[in-house]
Amino acid sequence: MVDLIHLSDGDNSFRVRVLGRRMPGVLPLHDLLDAEVLIESGFVSGRLDLGLYPDDLDGWSRALDVLAAGGDVRWPDDDRSPEIRVQALDREHETPTVHVEDVARSGISVSIPLSLEDGWIHDQRKRLRLVRREWPSEVLKTSPGAYEWRR
């Protein structure tokens, strides 16, 4: 298990923990990663399942670039549930804030303001590199519906 995302201020925490490959050795699902969203605070705690594709890791890398520039992001950037939105600066709380919405399954949404230390985006980039090193992309899509192992 490796945390792809771990944002915490001691009181509140938001994590996306990668558990491993969904179907190791099976094309094309070998690169699909099982993960979980974990939210912990004195007020609420929760856990949601999440499947990650290699494109989602690329999307998180792009999202970190946007956050570093002061922008807000939605990730993954498709219509899957849960939807995760990160505000680089929530003006109400004057901190970064994570919003998690699980409309498709539970209908619940949670907002978590986090007083994060400088360098938090750099830390998330290190986590992303660790996930990619632990579970490298090994499947190549050669045409629609056709896959082979990378060499």
Side-chain angles (χ1 to χ4, degrees):
M1 290 186 282
V2 175
D3 286 344
L4 170 64
I5 304 171
H6 188 176
L7 303 173
S8 178
D9 62 9
D11 294 324
N12 300 315
S13 117
F14 169 80
R15 291 183 288 170
V16 173
R17 176 171 286 163
V18 178
L19 305 172
R21 293 190 189 275
R22 169 132 333 144
M23 298 187 76
V26 177
L27 286 173
L29 301 176
H30 177 79
D31 284 348
L32 181 62
L33 300 175
D34 282 327
E36 58 187 359
V37 174
L38 300 164
I39 298 165
E40 298 168 0
S41 78
F43 178 70
V44 66
S45 65
R47 181 193 163 286
L48 295 167
D49 293 326
L50 178 66
L52 297 175
Y53 296 95
D55 288 348
D56 294 328
L57 299 181
D58 296 338
W60 181 237
S61 179
R62 289 188 301 275
L64 289 170
D65 293 340
V66 171
L67 288 166
D72 302 338
V73 297
R74 176 178 166 240
W75 179 83
D77 53 8
D78 55 18
D79 291 329
R80 281 182 284 158
S81 192
E83 175 185 280
I84 299 164
R85 290 179 290 118
V86 182
Q87 288 180 273
L89 180 64
D90 178 334
R91 298 202 191 291
E92 179 182 346
H93 300 286
E94 297 183 357
T95 65
T97 298
V98 177
H99 305 274
V100 180
E101 293 186 20
D102 184 40
V103 176
R105 292 179 278 187
S106 67
I108 293 175
S109 67
V110 176
S111 294
I112 308 133
L114 297 154
S115 297
L116 300 174
E117 300 286 328
D118 290 341
W120 67 272
I121 293 173
H122 177 70
D123 182 54
Q124 302 316 300
R125 290 186 200 281
K126 289 188 332 190
R127 292 176 181 285
L128 174 59
R129 284 192 299 273
L130 180 61
V131 167
R132 285 185 162 156
R133 194 169 45 245
E134 185 75 22
W135 295 286
S137 179
E138 297 176 338
V139 176
L140 178 65
K141 185 174 183 178
T142 56
S143 62
Y147 301 87
E148 65 183 40
W149 295 106
R150 290 186 191 272
R151 296 175 209 254

